[in-house]
Amino acid sequence: MDKRILIPTDFSKNALNAIRYALNLYKEIKCEFYFLNVFRLYSYNTDNLYIPEPGSGQYEAAKKNSEEEFIKLLDILELHHDNSKHVYHTISTYNFLSEALSQTIAEKDIDLVVMGTQGTTGATGVIFGTNTVQTMEKIRECPVLAIPETIRFSSLKEIVFPTDYMSVFKRKELKYLIEISKLHNVSIKILYIAKNSELNEKQINNQKLLEAILSDVSYSFHTLSKKNVADGITTFVESRNSDMIAFINKKHVFFNNIFSKPLVKEIGYKATIPILALH
């Protein structure tokens, strides 16, 4: 198989939408999809010292329910996404989501995590739920692609790549951005939110390096005068009806400034698009 993709699911509509998006995004690629359900026992919580063991009644009932939901999910996918290039695996586990993700990424040599932005408990108007934000922040082993529930996959025309040119670019960090660009013939729009109109020597050198790395794909440079980076990205994406935002998640500060909950509320529910966090 060319690619191994991990998709956590709580069997919500949002999770199903993320699965469908991933299946369409990589429909021409041989892929193994690992669907992960972290089931919970509602009589237990994280404050309890006692952890339910496999074999106990409640544990086995919860696991069985997860497995039965997977049967329904695979039936749905068989009806609408019959692709000989794709192979499906299911994993039911009792764990914390972040730990289950990290464990599966290591054990299955996962290339990419795809997930919805809300779960069954998602509040109206809150686009990036706690699990999504934490996953995009904590998972460093591979890229994470987050899909809003309102987004349906269609032909991609452009991906916005915001940068301040202050960090040295590495080819391996941009691997999946380039891959998607080639796979769907998508143009990459490199966006610099200008605090100073002129780039310094370090920024110019990093820009030239980025040009070299992206030499095999379509790209263009854009500059926007905005004091606030988040506002600038939002303005640019909305004005162009862009299809995806991709960014290198190196610094926690940069992540928090751009994808914090206040920004999500600012963007608005209907304006959100898929976010690809690269590492």
Side-chain angles (χ1 to χ4, degrees):
M1 290 294 170
D2 295 337
K3 191 168 298 298
R4 295 179 177 88
I5 298 174
L6 173 60
I7 310 179
T9 178
D10 55 6
F11 308 111
S12 64
K13 291 182 179 179
N14 185 222
L16 178 59
N17 184 61
I19 292 172
R20 285 173 167 163
Y21 191 99
L23 296 180
N24 283 310
L25 183 65
Y26 288 103
K27 66 180 180 180
E28 301 299 332
I29 301 292
K30 290 182 179 180
C31 296
E32 286 190 86
F33 289 91
Y34 291 85
F35 304 128
L36 171 69
N37 175 243
V38 179
F39 60 84
R40 308 304 300 168
L41 277 68
Y42 295 104
S43 57
Y44 300 92
N45 58 55
T46 55
D47 295 327
N48 286 341
L49 296 177
Y50 177 73
I51 299 176
E53 295 289 336
S56 67
Q58 289 182 313
Y59 181 99
E60 294 302 326
K63 183 179 180 181
K64 182 180 179 182
N65 180 70
S66 174
E67 292 169 346
E68 289 175 347
E69 290 294 332
F70 268 133
I71 293 173
K72 297 176 185 177
L73 173 61
L74 294 179
D75 285 343
I76 292 172
L77 298 183
E78 185 178 353
L79 286 173
H80 301 285
H81 296 275
D82 185 15
N83 189 335
S84 61
K85 295 180 180 179
H86 293 170
V87 176
Y88 304 146
H89 306 277
T90 63
I91 302 172
S92 297
T93 184
Y94 178 86
N95 204 338
F96 294 105
L97 177 61
S98 59
E99 292 179 5
L101 287 170
S102 294
Q103 182 177 343
T104 307
I105 289 169
E107 291 180 352
K108 305 300 182 182
D109 191 24
I110 296 298
D111 297 298
L112 173 71
V113 173
V114 180
M115 65 189 302
T117 57
Q118 286 183 329
T120 53
T121 59
T124 302
V126 178
I127 310 305
F128 289 91
T130 302
N131 283 340
T132 308
V133 173
Q134 288 182 350
T135 299
M136 296 179 80
E137 179 66 4
K138 291 182 178 180
I139 298 300
R140 318 297 295 183
E141 301 91 339
C142 67
V144 178
L145 176 61
I147 313 297
E149 186 175 12
T150 56
I151 299 298
R152 300 295 180 268
F153 184 86
S154 60
S155 58
L156 307 178
K157 63 181 185 299
E158 70 176 41
I159 301 173
V160 178
F161 179 70
T163 178
D164 58 8
Y165 297 118
M166 292 303 293
S167 299
V168 176
F169 298 103
K170 298 179 181 178
R171 292 182 186 274
K172 65 180 181 179
E173 293 174 331
L174 296 168
K175 174 182 177 182
Y176 289 95
L177 174 60
I178 293 172
E179 179 182 82
I180 293 173
S181 177
K182 288 182 176 180
L183 193 59
H184 295 278
N185 194 26
V186 183
S187 179
I188 299 171
K189 305 303 179 183
I190 303 160
L191 177 62
Y192 174 58
I193 309 299
K195 295 181 180 178
N196 301 308
S197 57
E198 299 293 329
L199 299 179
N200 60 36
E201 184 178 356
K202 177 181 179 181
Q203 289 174 308
I204 291 173
N205 289 335
N206 287 333
Q207 187 184 57
K208 290 179 179 178
L209 176 58
L210 183 59
E211 284 186 282
I213 294 174
L214 298 179
S215 60
D216 291 337
V217 299
S218 172
Y219 68 89
S220 58
F221 292 104
H222 303 264
T223 301
L224 197 62
S225 297
K226 281 277 187 180
K227 291 183 179 180
N228 183 277
V229 174
D231 288 342
I233 295 172
T234 303
T235 299
F236 188 83
V237 166
E238 289 184 343
S239 67
R240 301 176 60 87
N241 195 26
S242 305
D243 302 292
M244 186 181 294
I245 298 171
F247 73 103
I248 297 176
N249 187 19
K250 280 187 174 180
K251 298 180 180 179
H252 296 286
V253 174
F254 186 68
F255 180 91
N256 289 335
N257 284 342
I258 295 180
F259 301 106
S260 61
K261 287 186 178 179
L263 172 68
V264 170
K265 293 177 181 178
E266 183 180 343
I267 289 176
Y269 189 79
K270 294 182 179 180
T272 57
I273 60 176
I275 305 292
L276 176 63
L278 301 163
H279 302 288

